[in-house]
Amino acid sequence: MLYSNYSNALLGIIRKIVNDDLELAKDILQEAMVKIWNNVNGYESSKGTLFTWMLNICRNLAIDRTRSRDFKNQSKNISFNDQGTEVDEMTDEFKADTIGVKKLLNVLSPEQKQVVDAVYMLGYTHSEAAARLKLPVGTVKTRLRSAIMELRKYIKSN
Amino acid sequence: MNVRDLISSGKLEEYVAGVLPEQEMKEISALALIEPELAEEIRRIETAVVEYYTAQNEKMSEFEMEKNVEAIFARSNFIAQKTPVVNLVEKKNVVRIDRWLAAAVIAGLLLTSATAILTLIQNNRMSKEIADIKAKQEALISENKSYQDSANLYQQRFEIVKDILAKRVELSAVDKNPFTQTANTITKPGNFILLYWQPNTKKILMVSANLPDLSPEQQYQLWGMVDGKPVDAGVFEYRNNQVSMGFQKDISNASAFAVTVEPRGGSKEPTISNLCMMGKL
């Protein structure tokens, strides 16, 4: 069983949204935690899991920051279509601490990674992702589901 | 839509991403509460996503996590200070509880796994409930014990009273003593003591009395007249029409009982000038 940790997962998502700016990502995560801290009475389990709630806060905050002028001045604002290739290029640079982690990143095909990022990282629905990726909705749906299944299979076998 | 259909529909993947319309989010949450299979599926999808994005990232060291917790606390305090004072006063209690819960969430978020966070929150609630139940249970146990004690006491007394061999002894006021009065039909019924004495067990039980209150330095002392000599039967309290009813010391073969007023703690020999009550068998 791999070490499971919300904060590292959320940091991973934020980091991808802000184009691998680790310092900025950590700052956004911290800001998100403050927001979570101040709004914890706003969390209702009837509207989703704790992770989903925190993911939404982190994602919205990170996306807002990429839209802000400061961010645009600091780095080129990446469009979603760049994301797929960008991530694949970055993969080699990551200093994965175990072989297991490196393998987990390679479990998914580039096409699968694209839909996973569209839904979880950018918060698109199936149909929104389909429109952005110029794919049929059915394809997005099955691709996402097969991606999650692959990850689950991999996690289970470890 | 049944659970199997829902699982294969792809909606749960969207649910974990939190991108479904609010109504559908609510429906799936509600259904997950009653369908363990659905809840398990959601948990597995979530784990897959968490693991996938964790792997994207160099893990933060524990030192860094601790620094983060400190920074979060510092930042949120700063925000709290900016909140208008009136709001803080009104919501004081609520805010405090939520802050503790949030502290648990954030500490858990940074230091432990997902399951541990929820367990922490649940434990928090559970341990409160358990503490309440424990307190109630302890109160019940002590209440029960006091009922048992008094039931035992009444049982002991009843054993004496119902004993056919037990002697009923009425003590009345001695003439011209400085404490008690004889009966006066016009004003009041006078002072009295009603005793039961069980010769075979030598136990004495005082079941009723009407006596004047004494000063705190004084106590009534009961004596049994055995072969013409007074034998100490112990001191007793009489206050606010209540009498302490059991006697520690046993008396055998008494021909009479007498009461004197003695300094608190009692005397070895009765103070004859303070002899106030007397009853012969």
Side-chain angles (χ1 to χ4, degrees):
Chain A
M1 175 87 185
L2 287 167
Y3 180 66
S4 145
N5 186 307
Y6 281 176
S7 63
N8 278 313
L10 294 171
L11 183 63
I13 289 171
I14 295 168
R15 189 175 169 181
K16 286 184 89 172
I17 295 173
V18 299
N19 201 12
D20 200 30
D21 184 338
L22 183 59
E23 284 315 303
L24 179 61
K26 283 180 180 172
D27 189 58
I28 292 171
L29 178 65
Q30 215 180 72
E31 197 180 326
M33 294 305 165
V34 174
K35 232 177 160 172
I36 288 163
W37 167 268
N38 286 315
N39 289 301
V40 76
N41 27 354
Y43 167 66
E44 286 170 41
S45 57
S46 67
K47 289 180 187 165
T49 68
L50 189 64
F51 172 71
T52 302
W53 180 65
M54 292 197 279
L55 171 62
N56 272 314
I57 291 175
C58 291
R59 183 202 289 141
N60 291 340
L61 211 55
I63 292 172
D64 279 355
R65 286 288 276 272
T66 61
R67 285 189 189 131
S68 76
R69 212 169 20 165
D70 287 351
F71 184 80
K72 280 176 190 165
N73 290 344
Q74 272 172 24
S75 59
K76 63 182 172 94
N77 194 5
I78 47 150
S79 74
F80 171 68
N81 286 334
D82 300 332
Q83 200 65 33
T85 51
E86 196 112 3
V87 169
D88 290 336
E89 283 163 19
M90 286 193 299
T91 310
D92 293 331
E93 290 170 29
F94 280 113
K95 293 171 199 153
D97 47 1
T98 64
I99 296 165
V101 167
K102 211 165 199 177
K103 274 189 184 159
L104 182 59
L105 288 178
N106 294 327
V107 165
L108 303 184
S109 68
E111 290 79 19
Q112 284 175 320
K113 283 177 183 174
Q114 221 173 24
V115 288
V116 168
D117 280 347
V119 173
Y120 294 99
M121 186 180 96
L122 298 174
Y124 291 154
T125 61
H126 285 155
S127 41
E128 285 167 344
R132 290 300 295 265
L133 295 167
K134 299 187 174 69
L135 290 168
V137 180
T139 307
V140 171
K141 217 180 256 190
T142 46
R143 214 173 260 182
L144 178 64
R145 193 156 157 71
S146 69
I148 298 293
M149 286 298 184
E150 289 294 326
L151 292 172
R152 279 166 60 167
K153 233 189 290 169
Y154 178 83
I155 291 163
K156 209 176 178 184
S157 64
N158 275 266
Chain B
M1 197 186 279
N2 68 34
V3 172
R4 284 289 159 86
D5 289 345
L6 188 57
I7 287 171
S8 55
S9 72
K11 284 231 186 280
L12 298 184
E13 283 80 7
E14 288 185 293
Y15 172 80
V16 171
V19 297
L20 288 173
E22 198 176 327
Q23 188 56 33
E24 280 187 80
M25 292 294 290
K26 276 185 180 172
E27 280 166 13
I28 292 174
S29 297
L31 204 56
L33 286 178
I34 50 171
E35 296 285 356
E37 195 186 348
L38 188 61
E40 180 59 17
E41 184 70 14
I42 290 167
R43 194 191 65 75
R44 286 199 177 159
I45 295 169
E46 184 180 300
T47 306
V49 174
V50 168
E51 295 297 350
Y52 177 67
Y53 282 102
T54 300
Q56 307 271 345
N57 200 44
E58 288 166 56
K59 282 181 182 172
M60 282 192 280
S61 69
E62 278 191 21
F63 173 71
E64 207 174 344
M65 285 181 178
E66 270 175 40
K67 252 177 39 191
N68 262 335
V69 175
E70 281 170 24
I72 289 162
F73 275 65
R75 282 168 80 161
S76 66
N77 282 342
F78 177 68
I79 289 167
Q81 276 163 16
K82 289 200 293 191
T83 321
V85 177
V86 181
N87 273 349
L88 274 180
V89 172
E90 275 173 5
K91 290 182 177 173
K92 207 173 169 187
N93 290 331
V94 182
V95 167
R96 194 165 293 165
I97 293 160
D98 290 338
R99 286 284 153 85
W100 281 112
L101 185 64
V105 171
I106 288 174
L109 186 75
L110 291 168
L111 302 171
T112 66
S113 72
T115 329
I117 300 169
L118 288 172
T119 314
L120 191 70
I121 295 169
Q122 276 164 355
N123 279 353
N124 227 357
R125 289 179 188 159
M126 291 293 277
S127 59
K128 237 179 156 182
E129 279 171 29
I130 290 168
D132 283 353
I133 291 167
K134 265 191 181 163
K136 275 180 196 161
Q137 192 191 21
E138 272 164 25
L140 279 175
I141 287 170
S142 85
E143 202 180 334
N144 187 26
K145 195 184 174 305
S146 80
Y147 278 131
Q148 253 174 21
D149 287 350
S150 55
N152 286 342
L153 195 64
Y154 283 120
Q155 184 62 32
Q156 282 172 18
R157 288 173 188 171
F158 181 66
E159 290 300 325
I160 297 173
V161 174
K162 78 169 189 183
D163 180 4
I164 196 156
L165 296 173
K167 300 276 196 308
R168 180 188 153 100
V169 190
E170 285 176 48
L171 283 75
S172 52
V174 174
D175 276 346
K176 290 171 187 164
N177 81 82
F179 300 98
T180 54
Q181 289 178 334
T182 49
N184 180 328
T185 45
I186 298 163
T187 53
K188 54 179 181 177
N191 297 113
F192 67 86
I193 296 173
L194 180 59
L195 286 182
Y196 277 88
W197 175 55
Q198 207 175 12
N200 54 338
T201 64
K202 305 167 191 173
K203 298 281 180 217
I204 302 162
L205 175 69
M206 190 177 281
V207 292
S208 182
N210 173 31
L211 295 168
D213 287 352
L214 297 177
S215 74
E217 296 82 41
Q218 295 172 314
Q219 262 183 322
Y220 289 108
Q221 189 167 2
L222 181 71
W223 307 88
M225 299 305 289
V226 181
D227 301 328
K229 286 179 183 166
V231 176
D232 175 26
V235 292
F236 65 93
E237 297 281 348
Y238 184 87
R239 200 148 287 157
N240 305 321
N241 299 321
Q242 293 287 316
V243 67
S244 64
M245 293 202 266
F247 285 93
Q248 300 296 321
K249 294 172 185 174
D250 298 338
I251 295 290
S252 57
N253 231 0
S255 57
F257 283 95
V259 171
T260 58
V261 174
E262 303 291 342
R264 174 160 288 273
S267 306
K268 280 188 177 171
E269 298 291 330
T271 309
I272 300 302
S273 59
N274 286 354
L275 177 67
C276 56
M277 303 295 286
M278 184 72 119
K280 287 178 182 164
L281 277 125

